[in-house]
Amino acid sequence: MASVAFPSISKITRLPNGTTYSYVFVEPKGNKPYILFLHGFPSSSFDWRHQIPFFSNAGYGVIVPDLLGYGGTDKPEVLEAYRLKSMSDDMASLLDHLQVKEVFGVGHDWYGINKANTNPVLAYSLYVRGSFLLSRLANYHPDRFIAYVFLDIGYWAPYADFDVDAINAQAERQFGYSIFGYWHFFNAPDSAQIMVDNFERSMGLCYPADPEALLQHLCPLGAARKYYEMQSSEAVAPWFSPAEQATYRQIFSAKNGGFAGGLNWYKAQMGRVNAADERALPSERYHIDKPTLMVVCTKDPVAIPAIQTEGMKPYVKQLEVESLDCGHWVQLVKVNEVNEILKGFFDRHRGDGVTVKL
């Protein structure tokens, strides 16, 4: 939540379609371009607390929204509002409002699926929400981007035939365990209430000290609900300081809507609100022809590095890959490494005299 975590640099804007977005905004120094950071679940602009000061101090402009359903941004109950196309259009509209012509796009988190038809061995490639939305921005608004960065989970090509049960069955055959078992819990009508009523347990589930806990409590069918019925819970990762946890609790408090808005992304995807839009995208829009960086995480049991990179290769012409020895929350765990990798990528590809304003 931008206004809670970054009060001095936060803004609130009502877009022409009536949707209100909360976001962090810092103008660049000199002719350096802007960076658009997109978070995942269960997160907000607060996910980028280590990147915002680093890149603004390096002279880059920074735009970090609370995405739809999160933080200080609107949290509609109607699932149709969470269509990827409409949220992509929102991001383009926000850039228009800020008079920003083009940006570097950085996305992290939220699992989607892409069928990699070009490789029968890798029948399915796993992808994600910040990354999920950045993928569609690359399809719908490629002219607004200088280059792309996907953290932990990569580019997701359009895929209309989303079926979570088929995905889990395929994963069982391919990897020996399901990967989206938790989607059924997240789709349940009581999930948001359970998560906010058991806040400490929810933090242990989503930010566990042991990344392997995801295999036990998230991936198997029915495991997420059983987790909330256990006597004990997973410890929160030590890198999540008490002060940061306090800020997180304020952002996701029941008073601010809890987890309901973020869970609507899952409910919308399972409700196939994106299917018609996905089918309507012409195949030539599937491909990315701008520099793209993929940062894989060797200890994420869901986002398997080889699957990420192989799934991107058919669609991304200029793919660069970096690997870090950590779990899912790479920008929070490997702060210095991520910042230096991203800065090197941005410095190489920003060009001279780039026009950052419309």
Side-chain angles (χ1 to χ4, degrees):
M1 189 170 180
S3 61
V4 169
F6 313 101
S8 65
I9 52 174
S10 69
K11 293 180 177 292
I12 294 178
T13 292
R14 187 177 184 185
L15 301 180
N17 67 2
T19 304
T20 296
Y21 272 84
S22 170
Y23 57 98
V24 168
F25 180 69
V26 180
E27 292 195 5
K29 299 179 180 70
N31 65 352
K32 285 191 176 180
Y34 284 90
I35 307 167
L36 175 68
F37 289 100
L38 304 173
H39 67 79
F41 176 89
S43 309
S44 69
S45 55
F46 189 49
D47 254 21
W48 303 105
R49 54 191 176 272
H50 301 301
Q51 285 68 49
I52 291 169
F54 179 85
F55 285 102
S56 60
N57 288 337
Y60 283 90
V62 175
I63 304 168
V64 192
D66 294 328
L67 295 179
L68 194 69
Y70 292 93
T73 293
D74 283 349
K75 303 173 181 65
E77 296 181 4
V78 178
L79 297 184
E80 185 71 16
Y82 296 87
R83 288 168 51 222
L84 285 169
K85 185 179 188 306
S86 63
M87 292 189 293
S88 297
D89 291 344
D90 282 353
M91 291 297 99
S93 183
L94 180 61
L95 295 182
D96 288 343
H97 170 77
L98 296 171
Q99 297 185 305
V100 175
K101 178 183 178 181
E102 56 184 6
V103 297
F104 284 110
V106 182
H108 172 259
D109 187 52
W110 200 72
Y111 299 96
I113 196 80
N114 170 48
K115 193 170 184 180
N117 296 317
T118 58
N119 191 333
V121 176
L122 300 172
Y124 285 91
S125 301
L126 317 178
Y127 300 105
V128 283
R129 183 176 312 234
S131 295
F132 193 39
L133 182 56
L134 182 59
S135 296
R136 284 304 159 275
L137 279 162
N139 301 138
Y140 289 118
H141 300 284
D143 57 313
R144 307 307 293 266
F145 291 89
I146 305 165
Y148 307 93
V149 177
F150 294 89
L151 298 180
D152 190 37
I153 306 179
Y155 168 72
W156 173 50
Y159 184 63
D161 300 319
F162 183 86
D163 183 336
V164 71
D165 293 320
I167 293 166
N168 280 323
Q170 174 65 25
E172 287 276 4
R173 292 190 295 269
Q174 193 166 342
F175 310 125
Y177 57 90
S178 63
I179 54 172
F180 293 161
Y182 61 96
W183 278 60
H184 286 288
F185 172 67
F186 284 0
N187 192 51
D190 61 347
S191 58
Q193 193 65 52
I194 290 173
M195 292 185 72
V196 79
D197 286 347
N198 299 273
F199 208 100
E200 187 69 24
R201 196 175 291 269
S202 295
M203 292 196 70
L205 178 67
C206 298
Y207 300 92
D210 179 7
E212 290 292 323
L214 298 178
L215 281 177
Q216 181 180 355
H217 301 307
L218 274 181
C219 294
L221 292 169
R225 186 172 291 276
K226 288 180 181 177
Y227 170 78
Y228 284 96
E229 298 168 354
M230 293 168 51
Q231 294 296 317
S232 61
S233 62
E234 289 291 332
V236 177
W239 47 260
F240 213 142
S241 74
E244 290 172 334
Q245 290 184 45
T247 299
Y248 184 88
R249 285 175 178 275
Q250 187 175 353
I251 293 170
F252 283 94
S253 67
K255 181 180 179 180
N256 195 42
F259 298 94
L263 290 171
N264 280 341
W265 286 61
Y266 293 90
K267 294 175 180 179
Q269 181 67 359
M270 289 189 73
R272 302 182 66 129
V273 303
N274 294 304
D277 293 331
E278 300 285 270
R279 290 193 179 94
L281 265 168
S283 58
E284 58 267 23
R285 289 287 191 94
Y286 289 17
H287 297 268
I288 294 178
D289 60 2
K290 293 182 179 180
T292 302
L293 173 64
M294 175 70 222
V295 180
V296 298
C297 303
T298 61
K299 291 182 178 178
D300 189 330
V302 180
I304 301 167
I307 300 296
Q308 300 306 311
T309 55
E310 290 303 312
M312 293 178 72
K313 286 178 181 178
Y315 303 105
V316 181
K317 295 179 180 179
Q318 302 179 59
L319 179 62
E320 301 178 31
V321 179
E322 296 281 354
S323 177
L324 290 174
D325 186 29
C326 65
H328 177 68
W329 299 102
V330 57
Q331 78 274 35
L332 298 171
V333 178
K334 295 289 187 179
V335 176
N336 293 334
E337 293 91 334
V338 167
N339 287 348
E340 290 300 332
I341 289 171
L342 266 58
K343 184 176 183 299
F345 179 77
F346 298 151
D347 287 349
R348 288 196 304 276
H349 294 290
R350 72 182 182 91
D352 294 322
V354 63
T355 302
V356 297
K357 287 283 189 177
L358 290 170

